[in-house]
Amino acid sequence: MADICRGLEESFNRMLAIRVAARERIEAHLKDKGNQICPTHTKHLLIDMDLSVHESISTQQMQIIWKQCPECIIEADLHRSGVPKNLVHCTLDNFKPTNETQKKALAVMTEYNTMRQGFLIIAGEQFGIGKSHLSVAVMRRKPKDGRFITQAEFLTKLRQTYRNPDAEDIVTACKRIGLLILDDVGLSVGGRDELPTLHEVLNHRYGNKMRTILTTNMNDEEMKQTLGPRMIDRLRESVFSFIKLDGASQRRAQKDNYLARGTTQD
């Protein structure tokens, strides 16, 4: 029995020595060459040391395995949750207010980012003034528990269920998700089923105190007509803030960033 224990101990010590040696070789290489940099976010990547040591021992050659860039992971999750690729970079930190309404909006969104319930409406008749940017920035905290969808996309997916029983049940999906961002509310494509189904989703989320962000280019009167008096009355109770943005479109100023920005991993 003593011989068996001694043999196991020797085997353990040999394996430990091999792992230590492999780790030291990897650390020396990193000290000489430095860490890889994410080409999209220009940030140093972290090494997966345990996996690198394991692969180095298995292949008998030094292997360096890098962990995925955290920003790339978040942006990929955002894209899978419906956020267009030209918006996955949006954060509260990189939102640059150009007037007082946008400064106030940034302060409100920073506070809403800590909330666990309630509606929030971001309105502004101008395009390109940051409504979608601010919404995505809030979704960034838990991208897998959020859904970004325009009203037009909602209707398209709704009608797919009429023809295809295997299509996504978008109504149920929008009812269940932790944070729903309904973008471009009011840009109706004319379906009679559109607004009643949207009201069904919004009423469900109102009743269950679920975080919901609506962005719109409608004015106050158009919003009343679209959402209806019952939903407007419920929003008076459930809205954390009604943000009105104004200013000039920033899209022309963002052209260089749009063309230069790398794509995230799918």
Side-chain angles (χ1 to χ4, degrees):
M1 188 66 176
D3 291 340
I4 294 175
C5 290
R6 188 162 45 251
L8 290 174
E9 183 178 0
E10 290 174 353
S11 296
F12 174 79
N13 288 336
R14 282 196 300 270
M15 180 55 67
L16 181 60
I18 292 172
R19 290 185 61 85
V20 169
R23 185 184 184 99
E24 288 176 346
R25 286 195 299 271
I26 292 171
E27 289 175 341
H29 176 84
L30 292 177
K31 186 176 181 180
D32 181 46
K33 301 294 185 180
N35 287 36
Q36 263 192 11
I37 295 177
C38 171
T40 302
H41 301 100
T42 63
K43 293 183 178 181
H44 288 287
L45 301 179
L46 298 176
I47 187 173
D48 189 328
M49 184 60 77
D50 288 342
L51 185 57
S52 297
V53 169
H54 175 79
E55 290 298 314
S56 296
I57 295 172
S58 298
T59 63
Q60 296 185 343
Q61 291 182 342
M62 186 170 63
Q63 305 287 337
I64 297 181
I65 312 298
W66 299 101
K67 293 182 179 180
Q68 192 175 358
C69 168
E71 292 297 316
C72 286
I73 294 173
I74 291 173
E75 292 183 2
D77 288 341
L78 285 169
H79 186 54
R80 281 190 285 268
S81 297
V83 178
K85 284 192 173 182
N86 67 311
L87 292 175
V88 295
H89 71 287
C90 295
T91 69
L92 294 174
D93 289 336
N94 64 26
F95 180 76
K96 306 302 181 185
T98 60
N99 58 47
E100 285 303 315
T101 66
Q102 294 175 12
K103 289 179 182 178
K104 291 179 181 178
L106 179 58
V108 170
M109 297 304 288
T110 300
E111 186 176 357
Y112 185 73
N113 203 27
T114 66
M115 302 287 290
R116 295 185 177 181
Q117 60 195 39
F119 277 63
L120 189 141
I121 299 175
I122 310 176
E125 295 182 45
Q126 289 291 334
F127 299 99
I129 54 177
K131 297 185 291 292
S132 299
H133 182 126
L134 289 169
S135 300
V136 172
V138 170
M139 184 173 164
R140 199 176 190 86
R141 188 161 65 96
K142 290 185 177 181
K144 292 183 179 180
D145 193 33
R147 181 68 178 260
F148 181 101
I149 189 168
T150 66
Q151 183 171 324
E153 289 170 339
F154 177 87
L155 181 59
T156 298
K157 289 184 175 292
L158 175 65
R159 291 185 173 170
Q160 287 173 351
T161 63
Y162 301 162
R163 305 185 299 271
N164 180 6
D166 296 323
E168 179 188 20
D169 183 351
I170 191 62
V171 174
T172 299
C174 287
K175 285 180 176 180
R176 289 179 176 175
I177 201 71
L179 169 64
L180 175 66
I181 299 173
L182 189 58
D183 200 41
D184 284 341
V185 174
L187 298 180
S188 174
V189 294
R192 289 187 299 175
D193 51 350
E194 180 177 10
L195 293 180
T197 310
L198 277 178
H199 288 168
E200 178 186 342
V201 170
L202 295 178
N203 284 331
H204 174 86
R205 298 186 68 82
Y206 159 79
N208 289 279
K209 295 186 175 183
M210 302 176 77
R211 293 206 309 164
T212 308
I213 298 177
L214 310 180
T215 77
T216 182
N217 296 106
M218 295 186 295
N219 59 38
D220 292 351
E221 191 57 38
E222 291 170 334
M223 193 174 300
K224 289 177 183 178
Q225 293 176 4
T226 299
L227 296 180
R230 178 176 296 178
M231 193 67 228
I232 290 293
D233 188 58
R234 290 176 174 178
L235 288 175
R236 291 190 180 100
E237 176 188 6
S238 59
V239 165
F240 171 72
S241 183
F242 183 93
I243 299 172
K244 283 192 176 183
L245 290 178
D246 60 31
S249 173
Q250 296 298 305
R251 290 199 173 119
R252 182 181 294 275
Q254 294 296 322
K255 180 178 179 180
D256 290 343
N257 288 337
Y258 177 93
L259 295 175
R261 190 176 300 128
T263 57
T264 57
Q265 299 180 17
D266 292 328

